[in-house]
Every structure is written in C-alpha cells, then in structure tokens.
Amino acid sequence: LRLHLIRHGETEANVQNLVLGQGDSPLTERGLAVARIAAADNNFNGKGLKYWRTYCSDLYRAHRTARIVLGLEMDRHDDRCEEDNLSEVDLIVDARLRELAKGAREGFDKSLTYDEATAARLDRAQNDQSKSEMQMPILESIDDAWDRVQSWIDSLIEEAIADYYTSQSLRELGSAEECNSKKSPNSSNTPKIYDVFALSHSALIRTMIHQMV
C-alpha cells in the first residue's frame, strides 16, 4: 500500500493568517492555479500513475482541490476543457481525512494563544445575537487525529488484502486453464502496489508522516 499525500490549495484564510482547523474557506486564485498545474502533471492527476483508490477530506477546500487535480470539474480557464474529457475517477469523500480540530483558535489570527482566542471568542459571543460564537469548536489532540486516520488506513489495508487474494486466485485459475490447454502459464510474479491518492490538510498530513515514518 503506497499513500500519495497531497495538501489542498491556498485559501483566503491562509492569506489572512487565520487558523482554519475544521472550519473552511474558499481557495484563492493562487490556490486554484496550483491545483491546475498539478492537474496537468501525470504524476499527480492519475493519468500516468493509476491510483487504486482516490480520497479527499470532506471539507470544501480539500474536495475542490481534489476535483481539479483529478480532472473532475470543468475549468473555465482552459478553452480545451470539454465535458466529454472529464475524468471518470471515483473520488471518495471521507471525513476521517479532515484537518485537526483547533478548538477556540479556529477563525482567529494564528498569533493568538489558545487562551487569548478563547477570550476573544467569548467576548464576541456576548455581542452576537445569533449565539453562533457561543458554540465552542471541538479541540483534537494529535492522538485523537491519529486514531481516526489509523481507522482509515486499516480499512484500506483490509480492502487491499481482500483484492490481492481475489486477484491471486484468478491468476492461479488462469494459469491452471493455460496448463490444461498445453499453453505456457503467463502469470506475473511482480508484486502489486496499491497506490492511494489522499488529498487532505497540512497538520493531518504531518501527523500521518510522523506516526508512520
């Protein structure tokens, strides 16, 4: 199993130096442009390297980036892009690939400490009649985030093992049929690599790399 971990494009919140966490923000023109560059590269878009599975976080910024990279949406900036040329990749949206939840800091400047962000959020809530700010966003630890990512990885491993043994059985059946018909077996001993595209978020990707490497 080989994971290809890709971060979403730049967002408006990134430019404004805001903590996003499991909040969301639209991609900037720069973020869209970088995604289009990746879409033109066969090392990323799935046309050169064929992915076994393609996944993305359920947050908009990641989902939009993944759709562009994999050629799943029309690009109004490219006159050559037609609906008939859109990719048929099956993109799976999975909430386990969400960014780490940053709690009270979500939506506030990155320079604020957690306590400062909490105080600012409570102060804002007192002046907010909608009470939306009174609901404190959840806060995850590294271990919390790794638990959900590990669940995702474990499910991939289970699917890959099942696919491998199914394929192996079919190859053995084909080889037996070739022997019975007095033809030379043509089975390959090359191990199959299960390449998985996963478009996620910076802190979650760092967590994955730290835990696996």
Side-chain angles (χ1 to χ4, degrees):
L1 188 69
R2 183 164 59 189
L3 300 180
H4 301 263
L5 305 175
I6 304 172
R7 180 190 181 271
H8 63 79
E10 179 186 71
T11 67
E12 292 179 5
N14 294 148
V15 174
Q16 296 165 7
N17 203 42
L18 301 179
V19 176
L20 265 180
Q22 293 188 358
D24 221 337
S25 176
L27 299 176
T28 63
E29 284 302 318
R30 180 182 177 184
L32 292 168
V34 171
R36 294 185 191 110
I37 291 172
D41 189 332
N42 288 347
N43 291 316
F44 292 100
N45 60 23
K47 295 178 181 177
L49 175 64
K50 300 297 182 182
Y51 297 118
W52 173 61
R53 295 281 190 275
T54 53
Y55 286 86
C56 72
S57 157
D58 64 334
L59 297 178
Y60 172 81
R61 61 189 184 274
H63 189 205
R64 180 81 195 280
T65 304
R67 286 182 58 81
I68 293 173
V69 172
L70 296 172
L72 292 171
E73 68 173 55
M74 297 283 287
D75 185 357
R76 66 178 183 275
H77 293 78
D78 188 348
D79 294 334
R80 298 169 299 173
C81 184
E82 299 179 359
E83 189 170 357
D84 291 342
N85 294 329
L86 293 181
S87 171
E88 296 181 355
V89 170
D90 182 17
L91 177 61
I92 303 169
V93 178
D94 197 313
R96 290 175 293 184
L97 294 176
R98 277 187 168 202
E99 179 61 295
L100 271 73
K102 305 293 180 62
R105 295 185 69 222
E106 291 186 2
F108 288 88
D109 194 278
K110 292 180 179 179
S111 64
L112 297 184
T113 65
Y114 196 86
D115 288 342
E116 289 170 340
T118 300
R121 183 176 291 278
L122 293 174
D123 183 61
R124 182 185 294 179
Q126 293 177 355
N127 301 314
D128 185 2
Q129 295 180 355
S130 70
K131 298 183 180 180
S132 61
E133 294 294 337
M134 296 181 68
Q135 298 180 355
M136 191 70 70
I138 65 171
L139 176 65
E140 282 185 309
S141 67
I142 296 296
D143 289 340
D144 292 334
W146 174 242
D147 283 345
R148 59 180 164 87
V149 173
Q150 190 170 34
S151 168
W152 172 71
I153 294 173
D154 288 346
S155 65
L156 287 176
I157 292 173
E158 290 177 4
E159 291 180 32
I161 290 173
D163 180 86
Y164 173 81
Y165 282 111
T166 299
S167 301
Q168 187 76 2
S169 297
L170 292 174
R171 282 196 297 269
E172 290 174 355
L173 178 61
S175 296
E177 290 177 348
E178 288 180 352
C179 287
N180 291 336
S181 61
K182 297 183 180 180
K183 294 180 181 179
S184 300
N186 189 28
S187 60
S188 174
N189 293 321
T190 303
K192 180 175 181 178
I193 297 176
Y194 291 86
D195 288 292
V196 178
F197 172 100
L199 203 142
S200 186
H201 307 266
S202 56
L204 194 71
I205 290 174
R206 287 196 300 272
T207 298
M208 294 171 70
I209 293 173
H210 175 75
Q211 294 290 342
M212 293 188 295
V213 175

